Amino acid sequence: MPMLDKWYKDAVIYQIWPRSFADGNGDGIGDLYGVYQRLDYVRALGSTAIWFSPLYRSPQADYGYDISDYRAIAPEYGDLDIFRKVLDRCHRLGMKVIMDLVINHTSDRHPWFVASRDQASPYRGYYFWRDRPNNWDSMFGGKAWDFDPAAGAYYMHLFTRQQPDLNMDNPKVRAEIEGIMRFWLDMGVDGFREDVINCISKTESLPDDWRPAARGMRYYVNGPHLREYLAQFKKVRDQYDAFAVGEGVLLKPKAALAMIAEGPGQLLDMMFTFQHMEADCLFTEYYPHPFSLIKLKKAFSDWQRLLAGRAWNALYIENHDHPRVISRYGSEEYRVVSGKMLAACYLFLQGTPFIYQGQEIGMTNIRLDSIDEYPDTAAHNHYRSYRRLMPERTAMRLVQRASRDSARTPMQWDATANAGFSTVKPWFAVNPDYKAVNAAGAAADPDSLLNFYRKAIALRTELPVVKHGEYREFGHLNPWIYAYGRVLDGQRLLVVCSFTARRCFFRAPKGYKLDAGRMLLGNYADAPLTADGFACRPYETRVYLFE
Ligand code: GLC
Ligand code: CA
């Protein structure tokens, strides 16, 4: 056990998507004034850090992931003054602050891009301008190239049209990034979440890709100069002892280890993978298939095993890019019960857990009737492709199931108008279930999901086995139950999670006599058992400790 562990290994990180967290100035849009008022709530959950999705000035074509000024706060979210106040208050409450660093692309309204339309501009080489596009696809549907009439050329965008990719091969671009990092680190932020970071280096010749789908990916995912560029940015962070978690597209453990294995060559502290978010879909929720617990377990277990002793996991089951997890892997009918089970299924793994706003109170997917009500561009692009193949109703059902907009409805604070999010009509629809599903109600109910999260987080910090214990999976072919253990010296933890509404029997693994263990958590009022196992009720979870 290393003597001095980095702080992030004991952290619980709460993610705030600012537009929908809390509206402090009554214009219907979440902002930093609202965040400031709710910091105690975040801390009371047990969070020791906050990751802010982008707060920067942005035309909001991709809700802040299209940045037009990296050194300014979006006026609808506040200004640098209130940001500094939030930062300071977080630190006084014992919470670090992590900013979203979006450097694969800028907004098309960023002054660099505007200037780069002119061939003679020094900014021309900041982006990918070509007379002829290649055949790559955008990750949000459609093509990755658009013609710009003013520039008389095509430019590349792996995401929306309004997000031109930066040419990271240009040393001037990398110097700009260094400057941006220093700006925020000098202000006192503690680190970064680095957006689609394994896409920042493209094969320089930008060759056509003759695969049938996701064209281009093999030329920019974990690209040729990725390590070199990450090393350059790490040098900046090291001067501040700052933290970094990267987001990795199509990332598998082996590629992750090349960046996060601890030791001299380490480039990032941890990486987000998408693998466990694909248990009911292929690559994105827009290509759905029935939920497979086997697939989910394999993803969790692969990452636990392959990183053990070598690198640190970033644990999450929700963020702003995925529909709500209860609606996917759990059950809206058993909302609270399945929400608790889902909490237990990842909170006792090895790594640093992230909790996304609203996850802790069990918010679920919204279902809007018309595509016009969905703000996200990706929803519209996929809807258009669906409509070529199917009737409107079927297409809408798929969008309702897949859209990340479900994670972006206003946070449900209480049962008053607009869910207590705002005094006026919010920028986006409030989930109609807010009278039953809200933070105030959950705080007052000892059996709520919120209080389950608080207990589970407190347990994580109390039990060394959660941080250091060896991971074991039991019954990996069981299609209904995920059971895993953690073992450290004399301490053994056993976590049992049923992913089904049917009854099924959980047989204790060899060497575990359940009646000799202490039950730490469960999601039913009682917990009948025998030494050999128990009959799981719908979405039942139990956590046992053996000492
Ligand atoms: C990341 C962000 C997502 C954004 C995309 C493009 O995946 O999490 O919200 O749309 O990058 O910046
Ligand atoms: Ca506001």
Side-chain angles (χ1 to χ4, degrees), residues 325-338:
V325 73
I326 289 175
S327 305
R328 298 177 65 182
Y329 297 177
S331 156
E332 291 179 6
E333 189 188 339
Y334 296 96
R335 189 182 63 82
V336 173
V337 168
S338 72

Side-chain angles (χ1 to χ4, degrees), residues 62 65 105 140 159 163 193 195-196 247 320-321 404:
D62 190 25
Y65 286 90
H105 43 264
F140 284 172
F159 296 91
Q163 291 166 296
R193 175 265 188 186
D195 190 58
V196 291
E247 181 198 29
H320 64 295
D321 288 331
R404 56 184 183 167

Side-chain angles (χ1 to χ4, degrees), residues 235-255:
K235 264 198 202 141
V236 178
R237 285 200 323 271
D238 281 351
Q239 291 165 15
Y240 299 81
D241 196 21
F243 159 84
V245 52
E247 181 198 29
V249 173
L250 287 187
L251 189 74
K252 296 195 180 131
K254 200 172 152 231

